[in-house]
Amino acid sequence: MPDDGGTQPFRTEITAGMRVEWDVPITMDDGVVLRADVFRPVTDAPVPVIMTYGPYAKGLPFERGYPSAWEAMARDHPDTVAGTSNTYQNWEVVDPEKWVPHGYACVRVDSRGTGRSPGRVDPFSPRETQDFHDCVEWAGTRDWSSGRVGLNGISYYAINQWQVASRRPPHLAAICPWEGASDFYRDGSYQGGIRSTFWEHWYDMQVKTVQYGVGETGGRNPNTGQLICGDEALTPAELAANRTDLGADIAAHPFYDAYHRERSADWDAIDVPVLSCGNWGGQGLHLRGNVEGFVRAASRAKWLEMHGHAHWPLFYTDYGVDLQRRFFDRYLKDEANGWEDRPAVQLQIRHVDATFTPRGEDAWPLPSTRWTKLYLDAAGPSLLTEGAASDGTAGFAALGDGVEFSTPPLTEQTEITGPLAAKLFVSSSTTDADLFLVVRVFSPDDEEVVFQGALDPHTPIAQGWLRASHRRLDPVLSTAHRPYHPHEAAEPLEPGTVYELDIEILPTCLVVPAGYRIALQVRGKDYVHPGPSARLSNLKNDLTGCGPFLHNDDRDRMAGTYDGHTTVHTGGAHASYLLLPVIPER
């Protein structure tokens, strides 16, 4: 059991109607002392705890660390910054001024090696998960704690909830992972077996910049005057020695092996109440894990909520805070607030004008789903409700923009909500090929319908990926609407031979009006929106349609293997199709 660092001092003050304890020490089993900020009611009556553990530095204000995201949130969602001084608003964690008055303690822990916690940085590692487990137990055994700890937060602070819940800390009572992956391999590192550069770039921009020991370059906490990243100033060599090389680690593990398994959820072990909140536009990292977690977690008390908008704002809105608080009131306070009577699936149904209609459902996929196959026809190239009568081929440069298959204008309004998939018959001139699938929708005047996604303002309707040599399916976990690939080994292609590929396309939701077209683009590289790009201050690359979730590292897509010619076969014995989850009108 971790202790509180013995006699190590920490500062306490009463401010904004809260008792705030800055830099509280929590000693881990190996002697490393992590640091936490605790915000709690002034009364000493025991209260439940909302905890986060992560690498973004508890002393770095949201507004200072992520200015472009803050400005957009405050402009577009004014309720996020209302009713609070915003003094303690931090990136992707709860605002204590909106929780402490309702009888909660909020605990923020700087993860090992970041902010004011010393040690070696190794994101999502078993060491971090053990630290998080022990921090939960520390919080659950304080005099001011009721003994019930809930986890809440966005992205990183959602991902590691799945991990630590798999360890079953005794004082963990409920989790609310908001837009966070749960499978380290499939959800973000190797989508369809194709390596994403996201984690490597994210590490440079958002973790190394607040590593313990960067000194004055990390800035000072405006609330305490302390250095945000610890009182030591380490040399560049010392800093490098105190962190893993995350990009190299991921590149060294191109298949789903022990490295990825120990950084992913153990679904059978997760039995606490779960409120999993995902984003329709979070295709690169903030969608699949939330749906998979809802479907596969062993908990008998679990709910799925799906919404749109940008990645961070909705969490802080009145809608988001009320949703989270009602869930935790039920499972951390035993309040009889009718939470269990809510539908298991709570959807924000998306429309082409970027408005949303709330709707409850009983299960995922939706029980009313009418699974609809649209067959590819190379002669069009078209999407047809019946298979093409004759064989056809559509080829493209394997690293190019590919070929697009489209329906005629729809004759009636059509809702598509749920997981998608494609079965493609493909041949390659080389021993492998990467397939990038993009589901697109076009208005009657041929303008593409895109949305503000989790990060990119021009996010398409749905995306899927598959490296052809990873085509083997898991026969137990695969379904027609969610092909599941073990990604345990590569099975090279015989050039010119036709192979049957089942490709997962991540879930989506859209009510498509009559007169609009649905298209499937089969590409050899990441989708690029033809309009203007955008930028966020915390990201390396411009946002051109896929946000920071790109697959453009030449070391992963080597010349001679991935730069040949790819052919899609249609019709006859090669009846390639797109599977859509069509929801009947009510």
Side-chain angles (χ1 to χ4, degrees):
M1 175 66 65
D3 63 37
D4 61 1
T7 60
Q8 295 188 55
F10 56 89
R11 173 182 161 191
T12 300
E13 65 176 317
I14 294 177
T15 180
M18 304 181 291
R19 184 184 302 278
V20 185
E21 298 169 339
W22 302 105
D23 238 23
V24 179
I26 310 175
T27 304
M28 298 293 100
D29 57 0
D30 62 353
V32 170
V33 178
L34 306 184
R35 294 287 177 167
D37 290 341
V38 179
F39 304 82
R40 57 190 179 91
V42 175
T43 173
D44 288 329
V47 293
V49 180
I50 301 294
M51 172 173 276
T52 48
Y53 171 103
Y56 295 145
K58 61 184 176 59
L60 179 63
F62 188 157
E63 187 173 6
R64 179 183 297 184
Y66 301 85
S68 58
W70 173 269
E71 290 164 8
M73 181 179 77
R75 179 190 66 239
D76 299 335
H77 302 272
D79 56 329
T80 61
V81 295
T84 170
S85 71
N86 297 301
T87 305
Y88 311 103
Q89 281 268 34
N90 276 32
W91 177 246
E92 299 190 334
V93 300
V94 302
D95 180 354
E97 288 187 88
K98 292 188 176 183
W99 286 82
V100 172
H102 294 271
Y104 288 93
C106 297
V107 178
R108 298 171 174 170
V109 185
D110 277 338
S111 59
R112 182 179 293 241
T114 66
R116 294 187 59 82
S117 293
R120 185 172 185 271
V121 186
D122 192 358
F124 305 116
S125 65
R127 176 67 263 180
E128 266 207 355
T129 304
Q130 184 62 45
D131 287 348
F132 196 3
H133 171 285
D134 291 350
C135 288
V136 169
E137 290 306 286
W138 175 87
T141 55
R142 299 303 94 191
D143 290 342
W144 43 261
S145 169
S146 69
R148 293 187 183 181
V149 179
L151 308 180
N152 193 13
I154 310 173
S155 195
Y156 197 105
Y157 300 105
I159 296 169
N160 61 12
Q161 290 183 48
W162 297 115
Q163 292 176 277
V164 75
S166 301
R167 298 281 187 96
R168 291 178 171 170
H171 289 88
L172 180 62
I175 64 172
C176 178
W178 190 284
E179 297 189 29
S182 55
D183 182 322
F184 194 69
Y185 186 92
R186 295 170 181 81
D187 293 353
S189 297
Y190 285 88
Q191 289 155 330
I194 310 168
R195 183 155 61 86
S196 169
T197 57
F198 169 72
W199 285 124
E200 183 174 2
H201 294 168
W202 162 85
Y203 198 46
D204 289 344
M205 296 292 287
Q206 291 185 237
V207 179
K208 292 180 183 179
T209 52
V210 290
Q211 184 180 353
Y212 177 88
V214 299
E216 290 285 353
T217 62
R220 289 184 177 271
N221 183 338
N223 295 307
T224 66
Q226 293 176 306
L227 286 168
I228 290 171
C229 298
D231 298 326
E232 294 182 79
L234 303 181
T235 66
E238 289 172 323
L239 289 168
N242 277 351
R243 64 179 183 248
T244 192
D245 186 336
L246 184 61
D249 291 347
I250 293 172
H253 296 274
F255 301 108
Y256 185 68
D257 58 12
Y259 173 84
H260 296 283
R261 280 194 296 274
E262 64 191 15
R263 288 164 173 78
S264 302
D266 177 358
W267 301 119
D268 293 340
I270 298 176
D271 56 6
V272 295
V274 175
L275 171 58
S276 179
C277 302
N279 190 321
W280 298 124
Q283 295 150 15
L285 189 66
H286 304 114
L287 168 59
R288 184 184 186 276
N290 285 103
V291 175
E292 195 82 354
F294 169 74
V295 172
R296 298 183 64 187
S299 175
R300 295 182 179 180
K302 56 183 181 179
W303 287 264
L304 175 67
E305 186 272 350
M306 294 295 298
H307 55 260
H309 301 291
H311 175 43
W312 60 93
L314 209 65
F315 179 83
Y316 297 95
T317 62
D318 292 344
Y319 166 83
V321 173
D322 178 69
L323 183 74
Q324 300 155 38
R325 192 185 295 144
R326 292 180 65 191
F327 171 70
F328 284 116
D329 283 350
R330 173 62 187 88
Y331 291 107
L332 269 60
K333 294 183 175 182
D334 287 330
E335 288 190 6
N337 59 7
W339 176 269
E340 304 99 315
D341 299 329
R342 297 170 71 95
V345 177
Q346 302 164 45
L347 306 178
Q348 295 291 325
I349 303 299
R350 187 166 59 176
H351 302 271
V352 294
D353 61 356
T355 60
F356 296 85
T357 303
R359 192 174 76 210
E361 295 282 354
D362 294 330
W364 183 274
L366 309 192
S368 62
T369 302
R370 187 173 69 237
W371 298 105
T372 302
K373 293 179 181 179
L374 296 179
Y375 292 91
L376 280 63
D377 182 3
S382 305
L383 290 175
L384 308 174
T385 55
E386 296 183 0
S390 57
D391 296 348
T393 60
F396 58 92
L399 295 180
D401 292 328
V403 60
E404 185 165 286
F405 303 83
S406 175
T407 68
L410 301 182
T411 58
E412 59 184 21
Q413 176 176 287
T414 303
E415 180 187 332
I416 302 168
T417 298
L420 301 83
K423 182 183 289 292
L424 299 183
F425 290 88
V426 172
S427 61
S428 172
S429 65
T430 67
T431 58
D432 213 342
D434 287 343
L435 284 301
F436 295 71
L437 272 57
V438 186
V439 177
R440 308 173 75 186
V441 169
F442 293 89
S443 69
D445 56 1
D446 275 342
E447 287 292 322
E448 184 178 7
V449 177
V450 292
F451 293 96
Q452 170 62 63
L455 294 173
D456 201 297
H458 303 106
T459 300
I461 304 308
Q463 296 188 73
W465 308 260
L466 184 64
R467 175 158 288 176
S469 62
H470 288 225
R471 63 191 176 277
R472 185 165 60 86
L473 292 171
D474 183 314
V476 175
L477 293 177
S478 289
T479 64
H481 60 263
R482 201 288 309 268
Y484 193 91
H485 303 88
H487 296 295
E488 293 173 342
E491 300 176 27
L493 310 181
E494 182 70 29
T497 299
V498 179
Y499 292 89
E500 181 177 344
L501 308 181
D502 291 280
I503 303 174
E504 176 185 18
I505 301 175
L506 300 192
T508 192
C509 175
L510 183 64
V511 178
V512 185
Y516 283 61
R517 299 187 291 115
I518 298 172
L520 174 67
Q521 192 174 58
V522 183
R523 302 171 56 87
K525 62 180 181 180
D526 288 309
Y527 165 87
V528 177
H529 182 258
S533 63
R535 174 162 282 278
L536 286 172
S537 58
N538 57 299
L539 300 177
K540 270 191 178 182
N541 62 284
D542 285 352
L543 306 179
T544 57
C546 293
F549 309 108
L550 302 178
H551 308 79
N552 55 1
D553 189 334
D554 292 340
R555 295 169 296 177
D556 184 59
R557 310 185 72 204
M558 297 79 69
T561 301
Y562 297 98
D563 58 352
H565 192 81
T566 303
T567 301
V568 179
H569 299 256
T570 69
H574 299 138
S576 297
Y577 63 80
L578 168 67
L579 183 67
L580 292 181
V582 175
I583 308 303
E585 193 167 358
R586 301 181 181 184

